[in-house]
């Protein structure tokens, strides 16, 4: 895998007229055993910043325990604090035909299912020079979608606060019941470095476009 335990990436998020609407941090916390599976523990923290936080206070954390070999999601956690409402859930994902190893209730999913955070790291693991398209089911905690990702451009010059990069633009379309969800679209610019660093993350959503750009690591 191109990523390693201990990796931390920080992003500045723009939205509408706000050049600095939020911050996002991506972490590869560790590689560990989870109920007998070898998994990667990914975490992302997203927070709105002033003045947006006065309108839409958000302080969210997502944790993904992704199988180290298949990149299937084994456990997905959401810890949300949005507009003063706090909610937490821990979901154990079990592919059809397998038995749950975790205590408590499980969610039965199709083999190969990712969670949204694990799906981002799966995109980094792809050799886009040899893979024309990646398709995978994604479970977001409520619904199942199909992710269809393809490389649009093999090498663009991208300038972000962290510096200049040569990156491939990977476009991600979302489908449900074989029909494209046209109101949602994602794009990731993945650098041509050994780590396949995502230098820009862009999400087009019903309430506007969010663009996250990699910033330098804090000193």
């Amino acid at each position: 895998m191109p990523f390693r335990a201990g990796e931390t990436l920080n992003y500045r998020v723009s939205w509408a007229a706000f050049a600095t609407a939020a911050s996002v941090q991506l972490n590869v916390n560790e590689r560990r055993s989870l109920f007998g599976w070898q998994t990667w523990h990914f975490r992302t923290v997203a927070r709105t910043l002033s003045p947006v936080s006065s309108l839409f206070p958000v302080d969210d954390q997502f944790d993904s325990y992704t199988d180290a070999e298949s990149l299937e999601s084994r456990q997905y956690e959401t810890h949300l604090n949005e507009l003063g409402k706090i909610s937490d859930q821990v979901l154990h994902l079990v592919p059809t035909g397998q038995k749950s190893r975790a205590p408590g209730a499980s969610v039965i999913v199709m083999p190969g299912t990712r969670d949204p955070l694990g799906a981002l790291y799966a995109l980094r693991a792809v050799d886009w020079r040899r893979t024309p398209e990646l398709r995978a089911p994604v479970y977001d905690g409520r619904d199942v979608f199909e992710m269809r990702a393809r490389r649009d451009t093999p090498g663009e010059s991208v300038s972000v606060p962290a510096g200049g990069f040569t990156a491939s633009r990977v476009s991600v379309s979302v489908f449900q019941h074989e029909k494209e969800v046209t109101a949602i679209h994602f794009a990731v610019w993945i650098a041509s470095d050994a780590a396949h660093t995502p230098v820009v993350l862009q999400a087009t959503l019903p309430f506007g476009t969010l663009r996250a750009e990699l910033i330098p690591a804090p000193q």
Side-chain angles (χ1 to χ4, degrees), residues 53-128:
S53 57
S54 63
L55 302 172
F56 306 105
V58 171
D59 188 355
D60 293 346
Q61 177 181 307
F62 303 88
D63 289 84
S64 170
Y65 293 84
T66 293
D67 191 279
E69 294 189 7
S70 70
L71 298 182
E72 294 175 303
S73 179
R74 299 301 185 190
Q75 182 170 300
Y76 181 52
E77 304 178 13
T78 61
H79 307 283
L80 309 180
N81 185 348
E82 300 179 348
L83 303 176
K85 182 179 179 181
I86 297 175
S87 65
D88 298 278
Q89 67 173 352
V90 177
L91 302 167
H92 304 291
L93 279 62
V94 180
T96 304
Q98 297 187 23
K99 292 184 178 180
S100 176
R101 302 181 187 179
S106 299
V107 180
I108 306 302
V109 296
M110 293 179 287
T113 294
R114 275 76 162 163
D115 58 64
L117 179 54
L120 171 60
Y121 285 89
L123 294 177
R124 293 176 62 183
V126 173
D127 182 352
W128 290 105

